[in-house]
Amino acid sequence: MRRLLAIDCSAGACSAAVVENGETRAFELLHLTRGHSEVVMPMVERVLIQAGWTAADLEGIAATVGPGSFTGLRIGLAAARGLALAVGARTVPVTSLEALAHAAGPADSPLLAALDSKRGDLFCQWFDGRGRPLDDPAVRTAAEAVALAPSATFRVAGDAAEAVAAAATQAGRSVRVVEGCEVLDARSVAAVALARAEAGGEGPLRPIYLKAPAVTMPAS
């Protein structure tokens, strides 16, 4: 897969990147908590123009499938699916937590990728020092996640890092917050997607919510 578009709308930002042969040709990120639907397609159009491509040039499209914001995920996945269908591109699913783990990079200590669910707990997953998953994405409190740490010293990445660091201090654990990983980055989504595609991991873009949306459905 030579030419790939990656999209992320899963949390506190919207970003898009186009990559050719593993090299980023264009990238854009905007911090926001709402309004992803108005932002994502114009952003995609801009990065394609910056790369000198049209949508028809894309061979693959990757998007974060969750966990994350219910609304943001739906918007990002709808954009990615619609574009892939229109141009006949293959799709590659990437979880928000494995994209965070890639952004954090390798180290000697394990990593907790942690996103604030905005409902009193975290979307989180443990990875080893090389970014390989040690468990499945889950919903846990910061204290519960820290209790599962595979070693007394670990790293944490994501917008829930401060809550995890506070829980680690209370538990007597040593933790280092990885800087620059407060929000997801479509370039990391693209890197994970390319590795997955090379291993035959292309597939449909199905959301991973982990929790039901915090909405009240109207009575029928």
Side-chain angles (χ1 to χ4, degrees):
M1 187 179 291
R2 291 190 314 112
R3 291 183 169 182
L4 175 82
L5 166 71
I7 297 172
D8 172 68
C9 296
S10 64
C14 180
S15 64
V18 287
V19 176
E20 184 173 25
N21 295 325
E23 298 293 328
T24 301
R25 293 287 303 273
F27 167 71
E28 188 172 330
L29 183 147
L30 180 64
H31 292 261
L32 74 171
T33 56
R34 60 183 63 191
H36 294 76
S37 59
E38 291 82 15
V39 169
V40 61
M41 287 311 298
M43 182 180 288
V44 166
E45 292 174 5
R46 288 193 297 271
V47 295
L48 286 172
I49 290 170
Q50 291 169 27
W53 300 354
T54 68
D57 294 319
L58 295 171
E59 298 174 3
I61 297 177
T64 43
V65 296
S69 159
F70 180 80
T71 301
L73 285 173
R74 292 183 65 186
I75 291 167
L77 291 175
R81 289 168 175 165
L83 191 55
L85 181 62
V87 301
R90 288 121 62 192
T91 57
V92 188
V94 176
T95 75
S96 52
L97 299 172
E98 61 188 350
L100 269 179
H102 178 275
D108 294 333
S109 56
L111 173 80
L112 179 66
L115 293 171
D116 187 352
S117 75
K118 311 301 182 184
R119 295 166 67 182
D121 47 28
L122 319 175
F123 299 125
C124 57
Q125 186 175 13
W126 280 103
F127 296 84
D128 69 13
R130 297 178 60 186
R132 295 174 297 195
L134 298 175
D135 59 5
D136 295 324
V139 179
R140 295 188 173 101
T141 66
E144 289 169 343
V146 168
L148 295 173
S151 66
T153 301
F154 65 92
R155 298 172 296 144
V156 59
D159 64 4
E162 289 188 8
V164 171
T169 298
Q170 290 184 342
R173 302 291 183 105
S174 176
V175 60
R176 178 173 68 85
V177 175
V178 181
E179 302 294 336
C181 294
E182 293 79 12
V183 297
L184 295 176
D185 183 326
R187 292 171 296 186
S188 289
V189 177
V192 174
L194 287 171
R196 177 155 296 146
E198 290 177 3
E202 299 170 16
L205 301 176
R206 297 192 180 110
I208 301 172
Y209 293 125
L210 294 186
K211 298 183 74 167
V215 297
T216 301
M217 301 302 292
S220 55

